[in-house]
Amino acid sequence: MANTHAPRTGSRIRARRLDLGLRQADLAQMAGISPSYLNLIEHDKRRIAGRLLADISLALQTEPGLLTDGAERTVLEAMQRAASEWEPGLAEVAKADELAARYPGWAGLIAAQAARINALETRAQMLTDRITYDPDLATALHGVISAVTAIRSTASILTSDEKIDAEWQQRFHRNIHDDAVRLAAESDALVTYFDAPDAGAGVPLSPLEEVEAVLDACGWHLDAIEAGQPATDLSRNLRKPAQEVFDTWAAVYARDAAALPIPEVEAAIAKHGYDLWGLASALGGDLAQVMRRLASLPATAGRPPMGLVLCDAGGFPTLLKQIPDFAFPRGTACPLWPVFTALGQAGRPIISEVAIPGHPQTRLTCWAIAQTVGDAQADRPPLLQATMLVMADSAPGQGPAVPVGVSCRICPRTGCAARREPSALGTAPADPL
């Protein structure tokens, strides 16, 4: 009988057994089965599930999910992305799933270090660009040089052999004091300019990512605003540009909370489930507002995690809420995601089931809509903002789904008309879709 789980479930069991130094007969005895039956399982010739899977997992001191599904998709994608940054062939990309399943701790460490290296490299490049091209830096440096020059000039007069009366000496002293104060202010501006944000939980590279980190920490649910209070505690430690982004989002959040109070939203969910069309009809809010509200609900038992993407007409994500199995990069996302489709059909609601490559294949349900923002102007095209709500598909259909990816660089699909660049994974097998 064929294995109903992902390929290599049996090989994962065998690899884990060998890592622990167990003989096949020993593991079979611990699981209460014959060695011959275990041999068939390890060669993916027999199905394994339920109590037997739990017994084998317990004997192997691991989680059942790591044997059946392998490592979490986000860890695998991070490992593959890290491999794509190095010389092709240097890492055995095809064995990333096996490595992550056998050594999940090391896999997580590789993924975390790769993310941090990438973040630091990107920040270093940003600082290099700022030093080279940023006019604000030139202004700050000019202020420092000008203050130093003025102090030096005044000091040279005071230290010269020429006699200066008391009144002029006081003037020169005041000038030096004023220039010193100005120099201190300009120096503080330079320190602030180059001062990196706190890297305790990563390295925020932009005001948008700073804000997303704060929102991730509270699950995108702002208790203060729900209670009618400003969320100043959350934005207090943000840099000024990030505070402006946060304040803009907080204002949107406050309007959404006032229009769609949580008790009304939860009552609608109890009646319609998580059918967005039914919820929008019951709540009377526009679709984008309902999407934002669902993404900001407090996490409770039984409530599925919901991701959110806000994107401008140029396809640049302005805010991202990530959830497990949904890794949406900023700037290099697959163009087949519904949020981008919505931009070409403004005002038309889109619902789509998408499939992310992998084994087993993950399916997500996406709702998206693009709307005009701001006042219309006769001599300019309308400004658009697209909103997409993402939810794990609890009951995926059997029909075709949109074959999206994370980014072309680490996508194994072949024959994709939307591909922007060759995959760094080389000849990785194509997904069925």
Side-chain angles (χ1 to χ4, degrees):
M1 186 178 295
N3 192 343
T4 59
H5 287 293
R8 297 190 300 278
T9 300
S11 64
R12 290 190 187 108
I13 292 174
R14 182 175 185 274
R16 180 63 177 169
R17 175 176 63 79
L18 294 175
D19 289 340
L20 296 177
L22 287 175
R23 297 183 305 160
Q24 198 173 65
D26 295 333
L27 178 58
Q29 182 179 9
M30 297 168 70
I33 58 176
S34 67
S36 59
Y37 190 74
L38 178 58
N39 185 64
L40 292 174
I41 290 174
E42 290 189 348
H43 287 83
D44 291 309
K45 293 181 180 180
R46 286 295 184 270
R47 179 173 58 188
I48 176 172
R51 178 63 181 273
L52 178 56
L53 174 61
D55 290 343
I56 290 180
S57 301
L58 181 62
L60 294 176
Q61 304 171 26
T62 188
E63 296 292 331
L66 290 177
L67 297 178
T68 57
D69 300 331
E72 290 186 6
R73 185 173 311 281
T74 51
V75 173
L76 287 176
E77 288 172 349
M79 292 174 64
Q80 292 170 343
R81 192 178 298 114
S84 72
E85 301 291 336
W86 297 87
E87 182 181 349
L90 185 61
E92 298 86 348
V93 177
K95 295 186 178 180
D97 189 13
E98 180 181 347
L99 170 64
R102 295 179 65 179
Y103 307 106
W106 280 105
L109 179 61
I110 291 171
Q113 288 184 335
R116 183 160 181 79
I117 289 171
N118 184 65
L120 291 172
E121 288 179 344
T122 304
R123 183 165 185 81
Q125 184 60 51
M126 289 175 61
L127 289 174
T128 299
D129 292 342
R130 289 170 68 182
I131 291 172
T132 305
Y133 305 109
D134 199 330
D136 292 338
L137 176 60
T139 300
L141 287 174
H142 176 74
V144 170
I145 294 172
S146 135
V148 169
T149 302
I151 292 173
R152 183 177 181 180
S153 174
T154 306
S156 66
I157 296 175
L158 289 174
T159 57
S160 66
D161 295 333
E162 183 180 354
K163 293 184 178 181
I164 304 174
D165 60 43
E167 181 180 354
W168 278 100
Q169 284 185 3
Q170 291 178 356
R171 289 185 181 182
F172 287 140
H173 287 156
R174 283 197 300 270
N175 288 343
I176 289 178
H177 175 268
D178 293 342
D179 289 334
V181 170
R182 183 160 58 94
L183 175 60
E186 297 290 352
S187 299
D188 285 342
L190 277 176
V191 170
T192 301
Y193 184 93
F194 287 111
D195 190 25
D198 183 14
V203 182
L205 302 179
S206 71
L208 296 179
E209 290 172 320
E210 279 191 71
V211 172
E212 288 164 8
V214 170
L215 294 174
D216 287 340
C218 63
W220 288 63
H221 178 73
L222 306 181
D223 286 321
I225 294 182
E226 297 288 350
Q229 303 295 325
T232 52
D233 287 346
L234 294 176
S235 62
R236 181 176 298 141
N237 296 324
L238 294 175
R239 294 177 298 171
K240 185 175 180 180
Q243 283 184 345
E244 295 174 356
V245 175
F246 183 89
D247 291 343
T248 300
W249 172 251
V252 173
Y253 190 109
R255 290 194 295 271
D256 292 346
L260 304 175
I262 287 181
E264 294 183 13
V265 176
E266 291 182 335
I269 291 174
K271 182 177 180 180
H272 298 278
Y274 293 98
D275 172 28
L276 189 64
W277 312 141
L279 291 175
S281 177
L283 294 170
D286 66 69
L287 285 173
Q289 186 178 59
V290 174
M291 292 179 196
R292 294 191 300 267
R293 201 66 180 124
L294 289 176
S296 67
L297 291 178
T300 60
R303 178 170 290 158
M306 300 185 196
L308 186 71
V309 178
L310 301 184
C311 156
D312 64 17
F316 180 80
T318 54
L319 274 182
L320 291 175
K321 180 190 178 186
Q322 308 278 17
I323 58 174
D325 292 325
F326 173 61
F328 195 95
R330 178 171 272 114
T332 59
C334 171
L336 298 179
W337 282 99
V339 67
F340 302 129
T341 306
L343 287 169
Q345 306 174 50
R348 175 176 176 261
I350 293 175
I351 179 172
S352 179
E353 187 176 25
V354 303
I356 301 175
H359 303 284
Q361 188 169 245
T362 297
R363 291 198 175 198
L364 301 169
T365 300
C366 301
W367 293 269
I369 190 168
Q371 300 170 315
T372 57
V373 294
D375 297 328
Q377 300 185 38
D379 59 338
R380 297 180 184 177
L383 294 177
L384 297 177
Q385 182 183 69
T387 305
M388 181 174 71
L389 184 73
V390 180
M391 187 165 55
D393 198 339
S394 58
Q398 300 302 316
V402 178
V404 304
V406 180
S407 67
C408 293
R409 192 170 193 182
I410 59 170
C411 182
R413 301 190 193 278
T414 58
C416 179
R419 181 174 289 282
R420 295 190 182 105
E421 60 176 328
S423 172
L425 303 185
T427 57
D431 213 66
L433 291 176

